[in-house]
Amino acid sequence: MGVFALGIELDGEGFHPEAWRRAAHAPDRLLTGDTLRTRVATAENAGFTLVTFADSILPPESVAGRVDAVTRASFVAATTSTIGLVPTVATSYAEPFHTSSQIATLDYAARGRAGWIAEPIDDPRAAATWGRTQVPADELAKEQDDAIEVARRLWDSWDDDAVIRDYPNGRFLDRNRLHYIDFRGESYSVKGPAIVPRPPQGQPVVFGAAGDVDVRLVAADSVAAAIESAEQARPGLAFAEIDVTLDTPGASAVERLGAAPSNSPARLAFSGSAAALVDLLTHLSAHLDGVRLHPAVIDEDLPVLAREVLPALLRTGIAHRPVPGSTLRANLGLARPANRYAASN
């Protein structure tokens, strides 16, 4: 195995249904920009490779309201320097042209540290919110594949040297280095080119549970199943999804939250000491390329992760801090891809 990456989900207050009651800013339930910035800074200083931001057109009932994930990621882009910023953007109903522009813009704001979790939505309420007819369940995968393909083509629709900035002659763009993508799917077609130059990474990192992704997010209810699913995802990268409830200085995990229910019955559920979590992650590092941790209560579990778990993994060399000035692709061991259209010039 190569790089073992550490990701953490920082949407809301945590996966536990009562997490909002235990948040540092309770009882007002308002997640402020300062809170978000502080949490991301804590994750970056601890040495996490990336942070993710969940999203949905239909937020959880425990959330009074929230800004969309790309905007949250963009908000912290200027105050971070090494950590990857990976928002969720749905592939159902949203326009892939707009999605590709959002993620490309985030990649510029983050100086090459953007990713995208591509996620379908199978909910009639979401379709109604978008003013669309619901996509049948058996067509969601195809729509996701189309959305990712459109985004990838649009990111390549500008050559790296398309922006020329010839100030004396008033020429800033070589139109011969822009390309039509000519995509035709079952429900839409996109001509292109993009309205944003090719992102710093060439292709921001695409995460997802299925489809043509760079990093497969593996949801499995056992370590053995997670390892098996990771093998099936090769040659791409595979991350295990883990719900984490940790012992804190004042109480054990069980004393804090009882038998904390997992947010997803298909995820690995860990409850216990920091040392035991280090052992689990050390074992997984021999079989997977990384993990995405979902804290039960962010304001209680993140400090323990930062104080006890990350230092142990960094000290033993299981994980490594992101390299300053590097892209998210580089920190995941992924090469910058060549532009598919450049050879046509």
Side-chain angles (χ1 to χ4, degrees):
M1 301 294 294
V3 174
F4 187 68
L6 300 172
I8 184 169
E9 170 61 48
L10 290 187
D11 179 63
E13 308 300 346
F15 76 77
H16 194 280
E18 298 298 313
W20 65 272
R21 297 181 183 275
R22 307 175 69 95
H25 54 85
D28 60 22
R29 301 179 63 182
L30 295 176
L31 180 60
T32 66
D34 286 342
T35 300
L36 177 64
R37 190 161 42 216
T38 298
R39 289 174 178 174
V40 175
T42 298
E44 180 172 62
N45 292 337
F48 276 97
T49 313
L50 59 96
V51 58
T52 66
F53 305 92
D55 206 357
S56 172
I57 193 68
L58 302 167
E61 294 181 0
S62 62
V63 178
R66 64 180 174 188
V67 177
D68 70 274
V70 177
T71 301
R72 280 177 277 151
S74 299
F75 175 74
V76 298
T79 60
T80 55
S81 59
T82 61
I83 197 165
L85 304 174
V86 187
T88 296
V89 184
T91 56
S92 310
Y93 312 115
E95 294 287 347
F97 190 97
H98 297 161
T99 299
S100 70
S101 300
Q102 285 183 298
I103 301 301
T105 302
L106 174 61
D107 204 39
Y108 276 102
R111 301 175 298 283
R113 292 179 286 118
W116 167 31
I117 298 178
E119 183 178 272
I121 302 176
D122 186 12
D123 192 319
R125 297 173 300 164
T129 300
W130 282 102
R132 294 272 304 276
T133 301
Q134 185 180 7
V135 177
D138 59 355
E139 295 180 14
L140 287 171
K142 180 62 169 64
E143 183 152 309
Q144 171 150 321
D145 288 343
D146 285 353
I148 294 173
E149 176 63 18
V150 168
R152 290 191 186 280
R153 292 192 193 188
L154 287 168
W155 291 333
D156 280 351
S157 66
W158 290 53
D159 289 356
D160 288 319
D161 56 356
V163 179
I164 54 178
R165 296 187 176 90
D166 183 359
Y167 295 99
N169 296 308
R171 296 179 67 242
F172 302 97
L173 176 67
D174 185 344
R175 65 181 181 180
N176 294 320
R177 287 179 167 78
L178 272 61
H179 309 277
Y180 293 120
I181 71 168
D182 292 323
F183 176 87
R184 289 190 176 276
E186 295 179 4
S187 56
Y188 56 78
S189 61
V190 180
K191 187 72 172 177
I195 57 174
V196 180
R198 193 169 193 237
Q201 295 182 95
Q203 298 266 336
V205 184
V206 181
F207 297 71
D212 180 23
V213 297
D214 301 302
V215 180
R216 182 67 53 86
L217 297 175
V218 174
D221 59 3
S222 70
V223 171
I227 293 173
E228 181 180 356
S229 296
E231 290 302 319
Q232 295 172 357
R234 303 300 179 206
L237 303 185
F239 280 28
E241 300 267 46
I242 308 178
D243 285 342
V244 173
T245 309
L246 286 164
D247 298 344
T248 63
S252 68
V254 173
E255 290 170 336
R256 285 174 55 213
L257 298 169
S262 172
N263 190 47
S264 168
R267 284 186 194 148
L268 286 175
F270 174 87
S271 180
S273 69
L277 179 59
V278 170
D279 290 341
L280 172 62
L281 297 180
T282 299
H283 175 63
L284 290 174
S285 70
H287 305 279
L288 291 104
D289 305 287
V291 294
R292 179 167 67 143
L293 305 180
H294 299 256
V297 181
I298 291 173
D299 287 338
E300 295 179 357
D301 293 294
L302 177 56
V304 180
L305 290 167
R307 185 175 58 249
E308 300 182 44
V309 176
L310 270 292
L313 294 171
L314 295 171
R315 189 165 52 247
T316 58
I318 297 299
H320 301 276
R321 288 184 177 276
V323 177
S326 292
T327 65
L328 177 58
R329 292 190 72 90
N331 285 318
L332 293 176
L334 297 171
R336 188 178 192 274
N339 188 320
R340 73 186 71 192
Y341 301 114
S344 65
N345 288 340

